[in-house]
Amino acid sequence: MRIFLDTASIDEIRQAVKLGVISGVTTNPSLVAKEKRADMKAVIQEIASIIDGPISAEVLSLETDALIEEAREVSSWSPNVVVKVPVSVSGLEAISVLSREGIRTNLTLCFSLNQALLGTIAGATYVSPFVGRLDDIGHDGMQLVAEIVELFENYNITTTQVIAASIRHPLHVITAAKVGAHIATIPYNVLTLMIKHPLTDIGISHFAEDWQRIQKS
Ligand code: E4P
């Protein structure tokens, strides 16, 4: 399973890239707004200068023609851009047009198996089931990821990859990998939590103490 960073923070992306474990970035309008930046294009192009992998940038138009035009514009910002399109009638229509033009898309705000099925048939490059938001309302978000993976395997679908999104904690990442998600897109704090283990910290200080002791003896 590959790991993308789910953020619009340039600092977080710079830090994470140094680890050599991140192969893409997903953003959304809320994440860009959180960084107090109003120019989506500038943010996406700055991210593209840091990481050489897919960068999801979301469109906001609702009507089909406007959505397609906006998606074409967004995809022109960088060859790395993947256009994030929320599930809707116009969203699916746009994805089918965009995929025929060779523009990569990420079907976002996906909360059901039917939405994922329609997304892959329409030609989405990625589908993003939102695990945490389903968990928040008492559903099993990771079950949806597992079902989408199974459905794609049943029909040997290799043109669409499953991104486990709305990840809230390290256990989500483990489960996403176990059920076969192609990618998990994770917030920076989850990445740092994945690295830490108290026994590692205890082990490092014991090794250092033992080594110091033998040097003084
Ligand atoms: C995915 O691409 C979204 O940006 C993101 O995972 C949403 O996560 P949230 O539910 O924590 O806002």
Side-chain angles (χ1 to χ4, degrees):
M1 185 177 75
R2 289 188 292 150
I3 295 176
F4 288 0
L5 205 63
D6 193 29
T7 186
S9 161
I10 301 299
D11 286 346
E12 289 181 353
I13 294 166
R14 280 192 203 286
Q15 288 303 318
V17 161
K18 284 189 215 165
L19 302 180
V21 297
I22 299 300
S23 51
V25 171
T26 53
T27 68
N28 64 42
S30 302
L31 290 171
V32 175
K34 191 174 150 204
E35 298 308 308
K36 306 205 179 330
R37 295 191 61 176
D39 186 348
M40 181 94 73
K41 180 178 177 179
V43 174
I44 297 300
Q45 289 182 332
E46 202 171 342
I47 296 171
S49 72
I50 301 168
I51 185 160
D52 185 21
I55 302 161
S56 285
E58 192 154 341
V59 285
L60 288 153
S61 302
L62 298 176
E63 187 269 325
T64 309
D65 289 342
L67 212 161
I68 292 168
E69 273 318 299
E70 188 184 351
R72 286 177 181 144
E73 162 65 20
V74 168
S75 79
S76 76
W77 292 346
S78 158
N80 296 18
V81 165
V82 173
V83 183
K84 228 174 174 189
V85 182
V87 188
S88 68
V89 170
S90 49
L92 286 168
E93 201 176 331
I95 285 171
S96 69
V97 170
L98 297 166
S99 71
R100 285 197 294 273
E101 294 178 7
I103 293 174
R104 293 181 297 167
T105 54
N106 175 355
L107 185 82
T108 192
L109 289 167
C110 175
F111 293 100
S112 79
L113 199 49
N114 274 328
Q115 290 177 331
L117 175 62
L118 293 171
T120 186
I121 294 171
T125 318
Y126 303 97
V127 294
S128 291
F130 274 36
V131 176
R133 293 192 195 189
L134 279 168
D135 290 356
D136 288 346
I137 59 161
H139 289 246
D140 183 349
M142 208 51 82
Q143 179 64 29
L144 174 61
V145 176
E147 287 174 356
I148 298 171
V149 169
E150 185 187 4
L151 186 150
F152 286 6
E153 282 174 0
N154 283 348
Y155 292 97
N156 296 317
I157 292 168
T158 55
T159 47
T160 308
Q161 296 203 321
V162 181
I163 304 180
S166 188
I167 294 289
R168 300 280 162 79
H169 47 69
L171 190 54
H172 270 157
V173 184
I174 292 168
T175 316
K178 282 184 176 171
V179 302
H182 301 95
I183 298 148
T185 188
I186 66 175
Y188 186 76
N189 76 305
V190 173
L191 177 64
T192 58
L193 287 170
M194 286 167 70
I195 298 166
K196 297 294 274 182
H197 196 288
L199 290 178
T200 307
D201 297 340
I202 291 167
I204 288 170
S205 48
H206 278 177
F207 287 153
E209 284 160 21
D210 289 344
W211 192 244
Q212 286 303 317
R213 197 174 311 115
I214 198 69
Q215 303 302 306
K216 287 174 193 157
S217 66

